């Protein structure tokens, strides 16, 4: 019994009741919720003492002395630690209480504890036989050589048997893991986190050999981001790649193929952008390669020989609109010759480790993956569908790629075999994006987001009001014109769904049954608040346009389009609807008369990425894929006009709203304000007095899910109540080929 309790005290992974507790990272997971709950170090220390007690009562004095030995804490700190543990266990497994309070005494653990993993201990060396000096020297030289040769052959045979046994075990483990996953009640993570700070770590990059990691760490207090480099081992020391100026952000690190240099982008507060090159050891100051100041969605990668950078679209300047090569030594541009249309945004180019192929995402607002020869040429689509892409990377075999794909309310890491386009394999990592693989070994780094969004209502001259407290994610709120009705997307039921409630947050939310929503686009109410348009999917994952009644009944509409429906909106005419559909890699806006059977098209406009109906002027406001800014379309005359030349950007193309009085508000992050609204059509007096920028919140940022306004000026917005991100690392031993590749390289090294 004593040895079992001592094992609990030193365990790395414990099973407490039906929950899995990882003591090093202080994470608790369970069958009721896949979300990881992290507790404080003091709370984890309290849990260890309760677990070691084996169900016996541990007094408050013992807990205070054991966890806070060098201080004189109050009972409140212990109460807070126990409360935090209870909340974590209740969220992970709500079936029963885990910790009992013994009045005027202490606490005890009510569930059994089992050890799942212990720290490794070095094996004690076995004593060997050593021949005496006299006896050894007495052997004839030829006999000594025969003895040495015999032992050498025995050692080689043993090594060969061990290698075969190891490979056989790996192949057996691959099959057994799939069988065990279905019977294991606790989630087993195929990765580990290398960072766990309260700030955000993002944009990871693995060195070619996979032994070092570079990533961006955000310092919100200093309003800057720095790139740090460290060994990929846990708790290894790290160093800053360069001394980043205040209010500047270093991002997008990329390793050279030989592992000696790192290229990165430096963004300044005044809008300037520099593409920099630094020594990976951080011993020398970085040098500027080029000015990327017109950049929007800057992306780049090293070529296989390290002499050039392949750079995605980042400017409307001639020769910069498509993917191009930048020769580092000569500081010379070389455009690639491949099929593209004017205005296409070709993003995130990645060269395969063998230097033969290039993959990229075209118009990542929708997302379509293409592959072509590294020097340019014909394009091969890798997936027929459209998706929001959150990073991509080649694996070391130059055959597979890993993509961060937005699926529902989260980004997932999925693997694609380029020889089998359209067939995806999920890697089992939640809320993960920005994958970065090593060039030489099957190792993958990524960013895992910590995000939780909630709804805030901003009234005129009133403090913000939190409505419908969040239990996960609430996105894309849509208010009716009178502000009385609300539609939103939430995963509070375990899956993304449509919920209906009151605009003031009173009463309960009601689930809209029978609709699998496309959470990228918020619902749109008609002027009377009697009906709403909503994009969803049927069982075959085809897009469907639904019309919801005020009572929550959803009816599919017979829209005469054969491609994917991206968005829809009402006009001032009850019989006319605006429908945005997919047209190749862009959007086509069509105005329909739905009183006809089938619906009759009245007008169309190509290249549209987002639309709103401006009731104050009876016109369509829209954004384009090929340029930033806001535009207006008169459906009667077919004429278009420019409303704003700078905003919205092509990336935040959904973060704007037109109010009942015709004011157009754009959500963005401004200086010293994480949630700001910019008026895109201000009057001269508003611009001169600074009324064109309104700070809603200096601390909480708005999500990309859009916001909504009512006729009384009230705003309803989804904000990030909790945000951040950590860097994760996972080996990719999913195939025998990858296993052999990894161990062959380890033996050579």
């Amino acid at each position: 019994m004593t040895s079992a309790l001592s094992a609990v005290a030193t365990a790395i992974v414990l099973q407490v009741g039906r929950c899995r507790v990882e003591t090093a990272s202080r994470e608790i997971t369970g069958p009721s919720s896949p979300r990881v709950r992290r507790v404080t170090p003091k709370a984890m220390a309290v849990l260890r003492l309760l677990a070691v007690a084996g169900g016996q009562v541990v007094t408050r004095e013992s807990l205070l002395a054991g966890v806070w030995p060098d201080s004189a804490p109050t009972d409140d700190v212990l109460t807070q630690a126990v409360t935090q543990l209870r909340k974590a266990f209740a969220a992970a497994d709500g079936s029963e209480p885990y910790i009992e309070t013994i009045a005027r005494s202490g606490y005890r653990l009510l569930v059994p504890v089992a050890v799942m993993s212990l720290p490794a201990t070095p094996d004690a060396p076995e004593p060997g036989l050593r021949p005496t000096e006299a006896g050894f020297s007495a052997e004839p030289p030829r006999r000594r050589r025969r003895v040495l040769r015999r032992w050498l052959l025995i050692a080689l045979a043993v090594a060969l048997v061990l290698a075969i046994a190891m490979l056989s075990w790996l192949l057996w483990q691959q099959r057994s893991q799939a069988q065990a996953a279905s019977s294991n009640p606790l989630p087993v993570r195929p990765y580990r986190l290398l960072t766990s700070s309260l700030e955000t770590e993002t944009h990871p990059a693995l060195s070619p050999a996979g032994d070092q990691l570079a990533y961006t760490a955000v310092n919100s207090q200093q309003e800057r981001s720095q790139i740090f480099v460290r060994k990929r081992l846990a708790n290894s020391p790290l160093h800053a790649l360069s001394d980043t100026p205040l209010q500047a952000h270093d991002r997008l690190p990329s390793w050279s193929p030989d592992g000696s240099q790192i290229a990165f982008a430096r963004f300044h507060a005044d809008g300037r952008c520099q593409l920099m090159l630094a020594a990976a050891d951080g011993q020398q100051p970085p040098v500027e390669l080029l000015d990327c100041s017109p950049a929007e969605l800057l992306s780049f990668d090293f070529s296989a020989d390290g002499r050039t950078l392949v750079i995605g679209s980042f400017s409307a300047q001639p020769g910069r609109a498509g993917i191009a090569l930048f020769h580092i030594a000569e500081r010379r541009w070389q455009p690639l010759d491949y099929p593209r249309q004017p205005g296409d945004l070709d993003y995130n180019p990645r060269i395969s480790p063998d230097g033969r192929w290039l993959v990229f995402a075209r118009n990542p607002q929708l997302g379509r993956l293409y592959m072509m020869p590294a020097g340019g040429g014909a394009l091969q689509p890798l997936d027929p569908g459209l998706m929001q892409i959150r990073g991509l990377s080649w694996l070391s075999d130059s055959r597979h790629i890993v993509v961060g794909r937005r699926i529902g309310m989260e980004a997932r890491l999925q693997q694609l075999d380029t020889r089998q386009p359209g067939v995806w394999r999920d890697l089992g990592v939640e809320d993960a994006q920005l994958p970065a693989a090593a060039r030489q070994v099957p190792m993958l780094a990524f960013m895992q987001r910590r995000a939780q969004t909630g709804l805030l209502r901003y009234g005129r001259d009133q403090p913000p009001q939190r409505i419908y407290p969040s239990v996960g994610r609430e996105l894309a709120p849509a208010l009716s014109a009178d502000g009385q009705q609300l539609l939103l997307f939430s995963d509070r039921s375990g899956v993304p769904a449509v919920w209906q409630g009151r605009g003031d947050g009173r009463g309960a939310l009601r689930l809209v049954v029978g609709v699998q929503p496309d959470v990228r686009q918020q619902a749109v109410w008609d002027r009377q608040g009697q009906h709403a348009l909503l994009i969803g999917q049927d069982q075959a994952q085809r897009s469907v346009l639904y019309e919801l009644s005020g009572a929550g009944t959803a009816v599919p509409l017979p829209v005469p389009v054969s491609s994917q429906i991206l968005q829809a909106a009402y006009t001032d005419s009850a019989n006319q609807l605006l429908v945005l559909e997919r047209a190749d890699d862009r959007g086509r806006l069509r105005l329909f008369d739905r009183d006809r059977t089938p619906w009759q098209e009245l007008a169309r406009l190509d290249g549209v990425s987002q639309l709103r109906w401006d009731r104050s002027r009876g016109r369509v406001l829209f954004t384009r894929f090929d340029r930033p800014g806001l535009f207006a379309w008169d459906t009667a005359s077919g004429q278009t006009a420019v409303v704003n030349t700078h905003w919205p950007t092509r990336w935040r193309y959904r973060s704007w709203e037109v109010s009942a009085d015709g004011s157009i508000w754009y959500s963005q992050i401004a200086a010293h304000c994480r949630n700001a609204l910019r008026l895109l059509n201000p009057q001269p007096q508003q611009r001169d007095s600074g009324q064109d920028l309104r700070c809603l919140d200096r601390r909480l940022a708005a999500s990309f899910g859009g916001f909504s306004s009512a006729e009384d000026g009230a705003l309803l917005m989804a904000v990030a109540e909790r945000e951040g991100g950590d860097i994760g690392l996972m080996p990719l031993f999913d195939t025998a080929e990858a296993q052999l590749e990894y161990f062959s390289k380890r033996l050579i090294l």
Side-chain angles (χ1 to χ4, degrees), residues 9-10 22 60 101 105 148 177 179 226 255 281 352 359 393 431 452 471 513 536 542 547 557 587 596 601 629 659 747:
T10 59
E22 300 199 19
R60 300 179 69 89
T101 301
S105 179
L148 291 174
Q177 283 177 348
Q179 299 173 358
Q226 281 186 284
W255 289 81
D281 58 11
S352 60
V359 295
S393 179
D431 273 344
Q452 181 172 337
V471 294
V513 181
R542 294 175 301 220
E547 188 167 41
L557 298 180
R596 305 287 186 92
E601 180 182 313
S659 60
L747 290 174

Side-chain angles (χ1 to χ4, degrees), residues 73-347:
T74 64
D75 287 348
D76 291 341
V77 295
L78 177 58
T79 302
Q80 292 174 5
V82 173
T83 300
Q84 187 179 119
L85 290 171
R86 282 172 170 160
K87 289 182 178 180
F89 284 123
D93 179 14
S95 61
E96 57 181 338
Y98 273 52
I99 301 175
E100 181 184 11
T101 301
I102 307 300
R104 295 184 296 277
S105 179
Y107 303 93
R108 68 175 176 180
L109 204 58
L110 299 176
V111 294
V113 179
V115 175
M116 299 180 67
S117 176
L118 287 170
T121 57
D123 296 332
E126 295 182 2
L129 296 177
R130 185 176 60 187
T132 63
E133 182 178 355
F136 188 85
S137 60
E139 294 181 0
R142 182 176 301 176
R143 182 179 178 184
R144 285 202 307 249
R145 287 195 295 270
R146 287 200 301 268
V147 171
L148 291 174
R149 189 182 304 113
R150 184 183 303 118
W151 282 107
L152 179 61
L153 292 175
I154 292 174
L156 291 175
V158 171
L160 180 60
V161 171
L162 289 176
I164 294 174
M166 179 176 290
L167 292 177
S168 301
W169 176 80
L170 288 171
L171 293 175
W172 169 83
Q173 186 185 48
Q174 176 186 347
R175 293 191 297 268
S176 62
Q177 283 177 348
Q179 299 173 358
S182 60
S183 59
N184 190 357
L186 296 177
V188 179
R189 297 189 315 185
Y191 63 93
R192 62 187 176 95
L193 295 178
L194 295 182
T195 62
S196 59
S197 71
L198 296 178
E199 296 284 3
T200 299
E201 289 86 24
T202 183
H203 297 115
L206 277 173
S207 63
D211 58 341
Q212 296 188 77
L213 174 73
Y215 62 89
T216 295
V218 179
N219 190 321
S220 57
Q221 294 182 348
Q222 297 182 357
E223 295 187 354
R224 69 171 178 172
S225 304
Q226 281 186 284
I227 295 176
F228 290 94
V229 181
R230 55 171 287 182
K231 299 289 186 181
R232 66 175 176 86
L233 301 176
N235 301 320
S236 60
L238 71 163
H239 67 268
L241 184 64
S242 68
D243 187 13
T244 307
L246 292 178
Q247 295 187 338
H249 299 276
D250 289 349
R251 296 172 181 164
L252 310 177
S254 178
W255 289 81
S256 62
D258 63 0
S260 65
Q261 296 177 307
I262 295 177
F264 66 94
R266 174 168 290 171
F267 300 95
H268 297 268
D270 58 4
R272 291 182 298 120
C273 170
Q274 296 171 288
L275 190 54
M276 314 289 287
L277 185 65
D281 58 11
Q283 297 300 313
Q284 299 177 355
V287 297
E288 181 179 352
L289 293 180
L290 60 92
D291 182 3
C292 50
S293 294
E296 183 184 3
L297 291 178
L298 177 68
S299 57
F300 53 89
D301 187 25
F302 273 98
S303 61
D305 59 11
R307 299 177 181 177
T308 61
L309 289 173
V310 55
I311 300 179
S313 305
F314 76 92
S315 173
Q317 300 176 7
R320 306 288 189 273
I323 298 175
L325 301 179
F326 181 78
H327 296 267
I328 298 175
E330 301 89 354
R331 302 295 198 271
R332 175 174 59 87
W333 286 95
Q334 176 189 344
L336 289 183
D337 184 15
Y338 66 99
R340 61 181 305 274
Q341 300 180 52
D344 276 337
L345 180 61
D346 294 337
Y347 179 67

Side-chain angles (χ1 to χ4, degrees), residues 380-384 416-424:
Q380 176 188 355
L382 294 181
D383 192 273
L416 175 70
D417 188 340
T418 56
R419 300 180 189 178
Q420 298 177 329
V423 180
W424 294 92

Side-chain angles (χ1 to χ4, degrees), residues 454-473:
L455 299 183
L456 287 182
R457 182 185 178 99
Y458 298 90
R460 289 183 176 178
D461 302 324
Q462 294 179 356
Q465 173 192 1
R466 194 178 306 274
I467 67 171
Y468 295 116
S470 173
V471 294
R473 292 185 180 92

Side-chain angles (χ1 to χ4, degrees), residues 528-551:
Q528 294 76 26
Q530 300 296 320
H531 299 87
L533 296 175
L534 181 68
I535 309 297
Q537 295 178 329
D538 60 14
Q539 294 182 350
Q541 302 302 307
R542 294 175 301 220
S543 62
V544 179
L545 177 60
Y546 292 95
E547 188 167 41
L548 274 65
S549 67

